[in-house]
Amino acid sequence: MTVRLILEYPDPRLRQRSLPVATFDAALRQLIEDLLETLYAKGGIGLSAPQVGELRQVAVADLSGTRSAPRVYVNPEIVTRSRPAIVEESCLSVPGVVGKVLRSTRLRVRARDATGAGFEQDLADMDAVCLQHEVDHLAGKLFIDRLSPLRRLRLWTMARSARQATPRPRGSDI
């Protein structure tokens, strides 16, 4: 297992749509293991393949706090949503940012596991919120897209200032 580098906003790869997984092989299982290892190393509760630069519809989650309940979702599809609520979210790809967004706190998901076997699952509360967050990543969306326009503008301005303040290597035209 390998701890992978997590892409950070405003990396344009985070805005790309992921492709459905068609082949359930050793490479997919390795990706899943790497995602879980990275998730645990970074202290998160959910992680998706695009966050490590892999544009495949794979997400993992473990809300146990003890690394004892890993969940794998390949090609996840949210079938039903209910009980909307304002929840506080953060993201490993947008470090240091916390915001309140509207999410469903109950949902039913259809997905495949690492072997390709299909399943449906009902999720509630933080489990439901976490999966919606990861499904957004698979569609090239970030939780900050769900923030108020004023909050998004402030984040964009901060990110732009940080990019301009970063020293460039000598001789670089970048």
Side-chain angles (χ1 to χ4, degrees), residues 154-169:
R154 280 191 292 190
L155 288 173
W156 181 83
T157 302
M158 287 177 7
R160 184 172 171 218
S161 295
R163 280 194 310 271
Q164 290 173 345
T166 302
R168 295 181 182 168

Side-chain angles (χ1 to χ4, degrees), residues 3-63:
V3 174
R4 302 249 193 130
L5 177 70
I6 295 177
L7 302 179
E8 292 184 2
Y9 175 80
D11 192 304
R13 293 172 287 179
L14 292 168
R15 298 303 193 169
Q16 295 178 334
R17 285 187 156 280
S18 296
L19 300 172
V21 172
T23 305
F24 294 80
D25 58 5
L28 175 65
R29 288 187 294 281
Q30 182 64 56
L31 173 61
I32 291 167
E33 288 178 17
D34 290 354
L35 285 171
L36 286 167
E37 188 71 18
T38 304
L39 175 70
Y40 296 142
K42 300 300 180 183
I45 60 171
L47 188 66
S48 63
Q51 289 179 272
V52 298
E54 296 274 346
L55 294 177
R56 295 194 271 173
Q57 291 184 9
V58 181
V60 298
D62 189 340
L63 284 79

Side-chain angles (χ1 to χ4, degrees), residues 32-104:
I32 291 167
E33 288 178 17
D34 290 354
L35 285 171
L36 286 167
E37 188 71 18
T38 304
L39 175 70
Y40 296 142
K42 300 300 180 183
I45 60 171
L47 188 66
S48 63
Q51 289 179 272
V52 298
E54 296 274 346
L55 294 177
R56 295 194 271 173
Q57 291 184 9
V58 181
V60 298
D62 189 340
L63 284 79
S64 70
T66 60
R67 301 180 179 195
S68 61
R71 295 182 181 185
V72 175
Y73 301 93
V74 180
N75 301 334
E77 172 189 352
I78 297 173
V79 179
T80 61
R81 300 172 193 256
S82 63
R83 291 190 45 202
I86 301 293
V87 297
E88 195 169 82
E89 286 190 26
S90 61
C91 181
L92 294 171
S93 289
V94 190
V97 177
V98 177
K100 294 182 180 186
V101 298
L102 181 65
R103 296 281 190 191
S104 297

Side-chain angles (χ1 to χ4, degrees), residues 13-18 135-142 145:
R13 293 172 287 179
L14 292 168
R15 298 303 193 169
Q16 295 178 334
R17 285 187 156 280
S18 296
V135 168
D136 274 358
H137 276 297
L138 302 179
K141 296 179 184 174
L142 300 172
D145 300 333

Side-chain angles (χ1 to χ4, degrees), residues 94-160:
V94 190
V97 177
V98 177
K100 294 182 180 186
V101 298
L102 181 65
R103 296 281 190 191
S104 297
T105 59
R106 298 259 191 252
L107 60 86
R108 182 160 189 83
V109 62
R110 180 180 302 132
R112 298 195 175 278
D113 65 17
T115 68
F119 66 92
E120 287 196 14
Q121 185 176 57
D122 292 315
L123 298 173
D125 303 322
M126 200 59 194
D127 291 305
V129 169
C130 180
L131 185 66
Q132 289 167 90
H133 179 106
E134 300 313 324
V135 168
D136 274 358
H137 276 297
L138 302 179
K141 296 179 184 174
L142 300 172
F143 90 96
I144 57 175
D145 300 333
R146 296 179 178 277
L147 298 175
S148 72
L150 179 59
R151 180 85 166 120
R152 281 197 315 266
L153 178 61
R154 280 191 292 190
L155 288 173
W156 181 83
T157 302
M158 287 177 7
R160 184 172 171 218

